[in-house]
Amino acid sequence: MARSTKAAAEKTRRRILDAAEQLFYANGVAQTSLEQIAEAAGVTRGAIYWHFADKVALFRALYEGVRLPQEDLVEQAATGGNPDPLGLLEQVACDCLKTLAADQQRQRVFAILLFRCDYLGEMAEALARQNEADATMHANLTRLFAMAERDGLLSPRWPPAVAERAFTAMMRGLWVDWLRYERNFDLAGVGSDCVKGLFQSFRAR
């Protein structure tokens, strides 16, 4: 009985998240109310509050649900070390682009994060949490570039902090352009070529 109740609760939670994802994507976060989400999910507003404290918590659950698995690889390598940090980052970047290109749910959620939320009022908290996650990722990436520099793998033309900024700016730019402009280029193919070209520049000759 307990397992059945837990499964039913998880199913309801999933329906709420799916409804929120569709409405946030279609209408924007600010223009979507919890009442609209409840109606689309076929649940009461009380059911939403049972699973999520407010719209910010619901939005955050969407964001956390599409966390890329490659992020864990970066964190592990930044903490434990890697014999080829540049090779790891190049492969992680290409894998991220392939993952996004093949996953329509991630595409919708990233579009919501980038274009359909104003991050004003109650949503300012969501932006603060995203900024914290971004700061952690920037630190991990910089640590990996510093490892490459220490081991003589990084070109002296690229200080680790500058290399990290160039890398993250290119990745974010590829994602934003592809999502904003109706996927008008091959993200996995063209994106991977961009990554490979940048990492050729990163490597010590």
Side-chain angles (χ1 to χ4, degrees):
M1 181 67 72
R3 280 197 296 269
S4 176
T5 301
K6 185 176 181 180
E10 180 56 31
K11 186 176 180 179
T12 298
R13 183 178 185 275
R14 187 68 257 168
R15 280 164 52 195
I16 293 168
L17 285 170
D18 289 344
E21 177 191 314
Q22 296 294 334
L23 289 171
F24 287 164
Y25 183 76
N27 305 323
V29 176
Q31 289 71 36
T32 300
S33 67
L34 291 181
E35 289 86 352
Q36 290 170 323
I37 294 170
E39 181 178 356
V43 302
T44 65
R45 181 166 171 168
I48 293 182
Y49 283 123
W50 176 262
H51 293 278
F52 306 100
D54 50 28
K55 188 160 71 171
V56 176
L58 178 52
F59 179 85
R60 189 164 63 247
L62 278 179
Y63 172 78
E64 292 171 350
V66 296
R67 189 172 184 269
L68 290 164
Q70 291 86 356
E71 294 178 46
D72 292 333
L73 292 176
V74 169
E75 185 173 355
Q76 291 166 11
T79 303
N82 188 278
D84 183 13
L86 295 182
L88 171 75
L89 287 177
E90 181 176 350
Q91 187 60 54
V92 161
C94 292
D95 288 347
C96 283
L97 295 172
K98 291 174 184 175
T99 298
L100 181 59
D103 191 327
Q104 292 187 359
Q105 183 194 15
R106 279 193 168 91
Q107 293 168 25
R108 286 191 297 270
V109 174
F110 282 130
I112 292 166
L113 296 172
L114 291 167
F115 312 127
R116 289 168 169 79
C117 184
D118 295 331
Y119 297 106
L120 301 173
E122 63 179 350
M123 298 310 297
E125 179 188 340
L127 179 60
R129 287 182 176 271
Q130 286 186 54
N131 286 342
E132 290 175 7
D134 284 349
T136 299
M137 180 56 70
H138 282 301
N140 285 334
L141 291 170
T142 301
R143 196 171 294 120
L144 285 169
F145 279 111
M147 289 178 189
E149 180 186 50
R150 179 200 64 200
D151 295 339
L153 303 172
L154 184 66
S155 168
R157 295 176 300 169
W158 286 102
V162 177
E164 186 276 329
R165 283 293 170 181
F167 172 62
T168 54
M170 188 191 71
M171 291 296 291
R172 191 175 298 259
L174 286 168
W175 289 14
V176 169
D177 282 357
W178 188 71
L179 290 169
R180 185 188 295 276
Y181 298 114
E182 303 298 328
R183 300 156 180 80
N184 63 351
F185 65 93
D186 178 2
L187 180 65
V190 174
S192 293
D193 288 343
C194 291
V195 169
K196 292 171 184 176
L198 182 61
F199 274 84
Q200 283 179 356
S201 172
F202 285 155
R203 288 187 172 86
R205 303 296 179 182

